[in-house]
Amino acid sequence: MRLAAVTFSEQGLKVCRQIQQGLPDLKIYLHEAVVAEGVTHFARVLELTPQLFPHFDGLIYVAPCGVVVRSLAGCPSSKYKDPAVVVADVGGRHVVSLLSGHEGGANDLAVQVANLIDGEPVISTTTEAVKDLIVGVGCRRGKGTEEIVAAIRQVLDDHLLALDQVRYIASAGIKADEVGLIEAAKQLDIPLRIIADESIRNCPNAFETSEFVSARVALPAVAEPAALLAGRRTSLIVRKQALDGITVAVAKENCSSLA
């Protein structure tokens, strides 16, 4: 994807640089009031956005949502043609899928950016928002795609849980480059959430720790805390299941608590 990031401040630039570490082809646009190298400066975002809109597959704004919405006025034409637009706050806490969520790839881009900055993706697409299951996965290095897919399907089937209700597959930062896991998520067509290792170490929720995992990757566990931390108001409904070097746990988001 041809990607551009737009921001206005030094703090926003730090977030953009962090994103750029995982997306090295990302082109950064920075307001001219901030001096920095390796970026393209601009004067007015209301003029910049219409210039960028036809030429990029995805636009990542690290800026207030209101500013971005105003700058987009007159640009969108079709959810099948428009670029994906996501917005992150300068604290890197949330990443909002703002435009072209499903068809244009903004939902996937929001998850990808959130993984890179340890933020939380905010996706309001109805078909995604109603999903409330998160599958946490840990595995030995080098486990194959088919093995991981089979393990996930088996645990869901054993507990009468539907695959189409799974919002995320989640794992630890140490597994961010695990090819089998990445490909398993693609094969199942479920976004892969990567939870920072430090967040797992500081997870406030109760989960079963593993001396083996602690000795191997310096984490108390992977599957259970990853599942718990990848959503909001989560609780474990399936404790970790071990299947030949793959661990699977399932958490449920308790959205009913909003009633």
Side-chain angles (χ1 to χ4, degrees):
M1 292 180 70
R2 298 166 298 168
L3 299 174
V6 180
T7 195
F8 299 87
S9 65
E10 290 184 9
Q11 184 60 37
L13 179 59
K14 290 179 182 178
V15 176
C16 290
R17 296 287 197 206
Q18 191 174 351
I19 297 169
Q20 194 177 48
Q21 289 179 11
L23 299 170
D25 294 330
L26 179 71
K27 187 170 184 178
I28 297 176
Y29 291 82
L30 176 65
H31 192 270
E32 62 184 11
V34 182
V35 178
E37 296 182 353
V39 302
T40 300
H41 285 96
F42 68 92
R44 300 186 69 240
V45 73
L46 294 179
E47 296 173 356
L48 176 69
T49 294
Q51 294 171 10
L52 300 181
F53 202 82
H55 300 294
F56 288 90
D57 302 307
L59 300 176
I60 303 166
Y61 289 83
V62 183
C65 264
V67 173
V68 178
V69 170
R70 285 192 290 273
S71 76
L72 287 167
C75 293
S77 61
S78 168
K79 63 182 180 180
Y80 300 106
K81 297 179 181 179
D82 294 338
V85 179
V86 304
V87 183
D89 62 273
V90 295
R93 300 177 187 89
H94 300 96
V95 185
V96 179
S97 172
L98 187 67
L99 183 69
S100 301
H102 183 69
E103 288 83 359
N107 292 351
D108 291 338
L109 183 59
V111 173
Q112 188 176 13
V113 171
N115 287 345
L116 293 171
I117 64 175
D118 193 28
E120 181 179 352
V122 180
I123 296 171
S124 57
T125 310
T126 301
T127 53
E128 298 303 315
V130 298
K131 298 178 180 180
D132 59 359
L133 300 181
I134 300 169
V135 177
V137 179
C139 62
R140 286 202 301 261
R141 181 64 67 180
K143 276 292 180 179
T145 301
E146 297 303 327
E147 293 176 277
I148 296 172
V149 168
I152 292 171
R153 288 186 179 277
Q154 180 178 327
V155 170
L156 292 174
D157 289 346
D158 288 349
H159 293 84
L160 303 179
L161 300 171
L163 183 66
D164 62 10
Q165 283 301 110
V166 177
R167 184 178 174 208
Y168 297 127
I169 294 171
S171 195
I174 194 71
K175 292 296 176 184
D177 62 348
E178 189 72 52
V179 176
L181 183 60
I182 294 169
E183 293 303 317
K186 289 180 180 178
Q187 186 176 126
L188 293 169
D189 196 24
I190 299 172
L192 175 62
R193 281 282 283 122
I194 297 298
I195 306 301
D197 294 347
E198 193 60 27
S199 295
I200 287 180
R201 294 188 187 99
N202 295 324
C203 179
N205 307 69
F207 59 89
E208 184 180 345
T209 59
S210 168
E211 292 184 7
F212 176 81
V213 173
S214 181
R216 293 292 294 271
V217 297
L219 292 174
V222 172
E224 289 189 359
L228 288 165
L229 291 170
R232 299 289 302 277
R233 297 180 295 275
T234 51
S235 58
L236 286 172
I237 59 172
V238 179
R239 290 284 180 179
K240 71 173 182 180
Q241 310 288 300
L243 300 99
D244 189 25
I246 301 169
T247 57
V248 178
V250 184
K252 182 180 176 66
E253 291 186 302
N254 300 300
C255 299
S256 61
S257 63
L258 293 177

